[in-house]
mmCIF file of all heavy atoms in Angstrom:
data_model
loop_
_atom_site.group_PDB
_atom_site.id
_atom_site.type_symbol
_atom_site.label_atom_id
_atom_site.label_comp_id
_atom_site.label_asym_id
_atom_site.label_seq_id
_atom_site.Cartn_x
_atom_site.Cartn_y
_atom_site.Cartn_z
ATOM 1 N N GLY A 472 20.626 -18.090 11.140
ATOM 2 C CA GLY A 472 21.768 -18.310 10.251
ATOM 3 C C GLY A 472 22.274 -17.037 9.601
ATOM 4 O O GLY A 472 23.427 -16.971 9.174
ATOM 5 N N SER A 473 21.408 -16.030 9.492
ATOM 6 C CA SER A 473 21.802 -14.784 8.837
ATOM 7 C C SER A 473 22.387 -13.766 9.801
ATOM 8 O O SER A 473 22.755 -12.668 9.400
ATOM 9 C CB SER A 473 20.576 -14.170 8.134
ATOM 10 O OG SER A 473 19.593 -13.802 9.094
ATOM 11 N N VAL A 474 22.463 -14.117 11.095
ATOM 12 C CA VAL A 474 22.952 -13.188 12.120
ATOM 13 C C VAL A 474 24.319 -13.664 12.615
ATOM 14 O O VAL A 474 24.472 -14.822 13.016
ATOM 15 C CB VAL A 474 21.960 -13.090 13.298
ATOM 16 C CG1 VAL A 474 22.496 -12.131 14.360
ATOM 17 C CG2 VAL A 474 20.602 -12.628 12.790
ATOM 18 N N ALA A 475 25.299 -12.754 12.588
ATOM 19 C CA ALA A 475 26.650 -13.130 12.992
ATOM 20 C C ALA A 475 26.756 -13.355 14.496
ATOM 21 O O ALA A 475 27.400 -14.298 14.957
ATOM 22 C CB ALA A 475 27.633 -12.039 12.557
ATOM 23 N N ASP A 476 26.120 -12.495 15.294
ATOM 24 C CA ASP A 476 26.210 -12.596 16.751
ATOM 25 C C ASP A 476 24.802 -12.591 17.342
ATOM 26 O O ASP A 476 24.334 -11.578 17.868
ATOM 27 C CB ASP A 476 27.045 -11.437 17.299
ATOM 28 C CG ASP A 476 27.428 -11.645 18.765
ATOM 29 O OD1 ASP A 476 26.947 -12.634 19.357
ATOM 30 O OD2 ASP A 476 28.187 -10.823 19.304
ATOM 31 N N ALA A 477 24.130 -13.738 17.235
ATOM 32 C CA ALA A 477 22.746 -13.817 17.689
ATOM 33 C C ALA A 477 22.632 -13.615 19.198
ATOM 34 O O ALA A 477 21.669 -13.005 19.676
ATOM 35 C CB ALA A 477 22.139 -15.163 17.295
ATOM 36 N N ASP A 478 23.610 -14.110 19.954
ATOM 37 C CA ASP A 478 23.534 -13.988 21.411
ATOM 38 C C ASP A 478 23.572 -12.523 21.842
ATOM 39 O O ASP A 478 22.865 -12.110 22.759
ATOM 40 C CB ASP A 478 24.678 -14.754 22.063
ATOM 41 C CG ASP A 478 24.576 -14.743 23.585
ATOM 42 O OD1 ASP A 478 23.648 -15.383 24.127
ATOM 43 O OD2 ASP A 478 25.396 -14.060 24.238
ATOM 44 N N ARG A 479 24.371 -11.728 21.160
ATOM 45 C CA ARG A 479 24.433 -10.288 21.480
ATOM 46 C C ARG A 479 23.101 -9.618 21.208
ATOM 47 O O ARG A 479 22.640 -8.769 21.997
ATOM 48 C CB ARG A 479 25.532 -9.635 20.641
ATOM 49 C CG ARG A 479 25.694 -8.133 20.898
ATOM 50 C CD ARG A 479 26.992 -7.635 20.284
ATOM 51 N NE ARG A 479 27.128 -6.203 20.419
ATOM 52 C CZ ARG A 479 26.985 -5.328 19.418
ATOM 53 N NH1 ARG A 479 26.703 -5.762 18.197
ATOM 54 N NH2 ARG A 479 27.147 -4.026 19.617
ATOM 55 N N LEU A 480 22.459 -9.980 20.110
ATOM 56 C CA LEU A 480 21.143 -9.411 19.802
ATOM 57 C C LEU A 480 20.105 -9.824 20.838
ATOM 58 O O LEU A 480 19.267 -9.019 21.260
ATOM 59 C CB LEU A 480 20.700 -9.836 18.403
ATOM 60 C CG LEU A 480 21.495 -9.291 17.213
ATOM 61 C CD1 LEU A 480 20.851 -9.747 15.912
ATOM 62 C CD2 LEU A 480 21.582 -7.773 17.265
ATOM 63 N N ARG A 481 20.167 -11.088 21.245
ATOM 64 C CA ARG A 481 19.188 -11.559 22.233
ATOM 65 C C ARG A 481 19.376 -10.839 23.566
ATOM 66 O O ARG A 481 18.410 -10.493 24.244
ATOM 67 C CB ARG A 481 19.317 -13.070 22.416
ATOM 68 C CG ARG A 481 18.831 -13.873 21.221
ATOM 69 C CD ARG A 481 18.662 -15.343 21.553
ATOM 70 N NE ARG A 481 18.231 -16.065 20.377
ATOM 71 C CZ ARG A 481 19.054 -16.671 19.520
ATOM 72 N NH1 ARG A 481 20.366 -16.660 19.751
ATOM 73 N NH2 ARG A 481 18.585 -17.288 18.466
ATOM 74 N N ARG A 482 20.614 -10.624 23.954
ATOM 75 C CA ARG A 482 20.862 -9.901 25.205
ATOM 76 C C ARG A 482 20.363 -8.454 25.108
ATOM 77 O O ARG A 482 19.870 -7.882 26.078
ATOM 78 C CB ARG A 482 22.355 -9.936 25.546
ATOM 79 C CG ARG A 482 22.837 -11.311 26.026
ATOM 80 C CD ARG A 482 24.281 -11.270 26.469
ATOM 81 N NE ARG A 482 24.742 -12.583 26.929
ATOM 82 C CZ ARG A 482 24.550 -13.041 28.170
ATOM 83 N NH1 ARG A 482 23.940 -12.286 29.077
ATOM 84 N NH2 ARG A 482 24.989 -14.241 28.500
ATOM 85 N N ALA A 483 20.488 -7.875 23.924
ATOM 86 C CA ALA A 483 19.991 -6.508 23.729
ATOM 87 C C ALA A 483 18.468 -6.468 23.828
ATOM 88 O O ALA A 483 17.898 -5.560 24.449
ATOM 89 C CB ALA A 483 20.454 -5.977 22.373
ATOM 90 N N VAL A 484 17.804 -7.450 23.234
ATOM 91 C CA VAL A 484 16.343 -7.530 23.338
ATOM 92 C C VAL A 484 15.931 -7.744 24.795
ATOM 93 O O VAL A 484 14.970 -7.132 25.292
ATOM 94 C CB VAL A 484 15.795 -8.667 22.445
ATOM 95 C CG1 VAL A 484 14.308 -8.895 22.712
ATOM 96 C CG2 VAL A 484 16.021 -8.340 20.980
ATOM 97 N N ASP A 485 16.644 -8.595 25.494
ATOM 98 C CA ASP A 485 16.359 -8.856 26.900
ATOM 99 C C ASP A 485 16.455 -7.563 27.716
ATOM 100 O O ASP A 485 15.586 -7.264 28.541
ATOM 101 C CB ASP A 485 17.350 -9.896 27.433
ATOM 102 C CG ASP A 485 17.127 -10.215 28.903
ATOM 103 O OD1 ASP A 485 16.044 -10.717 29.246
ATOM 104 O OD2 ASP A 485 18.040 -9.953 29.716
ATOM 105 N N ALA A 486 17.509 -6.773 27.488
ATOM 106 C CA ALA A 486 17.677 -5.513 28.215
ATOM 107 C C ALA A 486 16.569 -4.517 27.859
ATOM 108 O O ALA A 486 16.063 -3.794 28.730
ATOM 109 C CB ALA A 486 19.046 -4.912 27.906
ATOM 110 N N ALA A 487 16.177 -4.483 26.575
ATOM 111 C CA ALA A 487 15.128 -3.552 26.149
ATOM 112 C C ALA A 487 13.791 -3.891 26.795
ATOM 113 O O ALA A 487 13.074 -3.005 27.289
ATOM 114 C CB ALA A 487 15.009 -3.572 24.622
ATOM 115 N N VAL A 488 13.435 -5.170 26.823
ATOM 116 C CA VAL A 488 12.168 -5.580 27.424
ATOM 117 C C VAL A 488 12.207 -5.388 28.942
ATOM 118 O O VAL A 488 11.206 -5.003 29.560
ATOM 119 C CB VAL A 488 11.835 -7.040 27.048
ATOM 120 C CG1 VAL A 488 10.569 -7.504 27.754
ATOM 121 C CG2 VAL A 488 11.665 -7.174 25.537
ATOM 122 N N ASP A 489 13.378 -5.624 29.543
ATOM 123 C CA ASP A 489 13.516 -5.363 30.982
ATOM 124 C C ASP A 489 13.227 -3.897 31.292
ATOM 125 O O ASP A 489 12.551 -3.570 32.280
ATOM 126 C CB ASP A 489 14.936 -5.713 31.450
ATOM 127 C CG ASP A 489 15.160 -7.215 31.584
ATOM 128 O OD1 ASP A 489 14.168 -7.968 31.510
ATOM 129 O OD2 ASP A 489 16.333 -7.623 31.750
ATOM 130 N N ALA A 490 13.733 -2.995 30.453
ATOM 131 C CA ALA A 490 13.499 -1.561 30.665
ATOM 132 C C ALA A 490 12.014 -1.233 30.553
ATOM 133 O O ALA A 490 11.484 -0.404 31.311
ATOM 134 C CB ALA A 490 14.304 -0.751 29.654
ATOM 135 N N VAL A 491 11.325 -1.880 29.617
ATOM 136 C CA VAL A 491 9.887 -1.661 29.473
ATOM 137 C C VAL A 491 9.140 -2.116 30.724
ATOM 138 O O VAL A 491 8.227 -1.428 31.213
ATOM 139 C CB VAL A 491 9.358 -2.401 28.227
ATOM 140 C CG1 VAL A 491 7.832 -2.397 28.207
ATOM 141 C CG2 VAL A 491 9.895 -1.750 26.965
ATOM 142 N N TYR A 492 9.527 -3.259 31.264
ATOM 143 C CA TYR A 492 8.860 -3.756 32.468
ATOM 144 C C TYR A 492 9.121 -2.844 33.680
ATOM 145 O O TYR A 492 8.242 -2.650 34.519
ATOM 146 C CB TYR A 492 9.287 -5.191 32.764
ATOM 147 C CG TYR A 492 8.379 -6.212 32.133
ATOM 148 C CD1 TYR A 492 8.532 -6.573 30.798
ATOM 149 C CD2 TYR A 492 7.347 -6.802 32.857
ATOM 150 C CE1 TYR A 492 7.690 -7.496 30.202
ATOM 151 C CE2 TYR A 492 6.501 -7.723 32.278
ATOM 152 C CZ TYR A 492 6.672 -8.076 30.948
ATOM 153 O OH TYR A 492 5.815 -8.981 30.363
ATOM 154 N N VAL A 493 10.320 -2.281 33.757
ATOM 155 C CA VAL A 493 10.585 -1.316 34.829
ATOM 156 C C VAL A 493 9.687 -0.085 34.653
ATOM 157 O O VAL A 493 9.121 0.438 35.626
ATOM 158 C CB VAL A 493 12.074 -0.910 34.833
ATOM 159 C CG1 VAL A 493 12.314 0.267 35.784
ATOM 160 C CG2 VAL A 493 12.939 -2.091 35.237
ATOM 161 N N GLY A 494 9.541 0.374 33.413
ATOM 162 C CA GLY A 494 8.646 1.493 33.152
ATOM 163 C C GLY A 494 7.199 1.174 33.519
ATOM 164 O O GLY A 494 6.493 2.006 34.095
ATOM 165 N N ALA A 495 6.752 -0.040 33.190
ATOM 166 C CA ALA A 495 5.396 -0.448 33.543
ATOM 167 C C ALA A 495 5.225 -0.526 35.054
ATOM 168 O O ALA A 495 4.169 -0.164 35.596
ATOM 169 C CB ALA A 495 5.079 -1.801 32.902
ATOM 170 N N ALA A 496 6.256 -0.997 35.752
ATOM 171 C CA ALA A 496 6.201 -1.047 37.216
ATOM 172 C C ALA A 496 6.094 0.355 37.805
ATOM 173 O O ALA A 496 5.351 0.586 38.774
ATOM 174 C CB ALA A 496 7.437 -1.755 37.762
ATOM 175 N N CYS A 497 6.818 1.316 37.217
ATOM 176 C CA CYS A 497 6.715 2.706 37.676
ATOM 177 C C CYS A 497 5.307 3.256 37.432
ATOM 178 O O CYS A 497 4.774 4.000 38.269
ATOM 179 C CB CYS A 497 7.747 3.565 36.959
ATOM 180 S SG CYS A 497 9.462 3.191 37.415
ATOM 181 N N ALA A 498 4.693 2.881 36.301
ATOM 182 C CA ALA A 498 3.306 3.300 36.033
ATOM 183 C C ALA A 498 2.364 2.713 37.080
ATOM 184 O O ALA A 498 1.408 3.370 37.514
ATOM 185 C CB ALA A 498 2.886 2.864 34.630
ATOM 186 N N ALA A 499 2.620 1.471 37.513
ATOM 187 C CA ALA A 499 1.805 0.858 38.560
ATOM 188 C C ALA A 499 1.966 1.599 39.887
ATOM 189 O O ALA A 499 0.990 1.781 40.638
ATOM 190 C CB ALA A 499 2.184 -0.614 38.727
#
Side-chain angles (χ1 to χ4, degrees):
S473 64
V474 179
D476 192 354
D478 184 69
R479 180 167 176 254
L480 293 184
R481 289 194 181 93
R482 287 185 180 276
V484 171
D485 179 62
V488 176
D489 284 349
V491 170
Y492 268 82
V493 170
C497 292

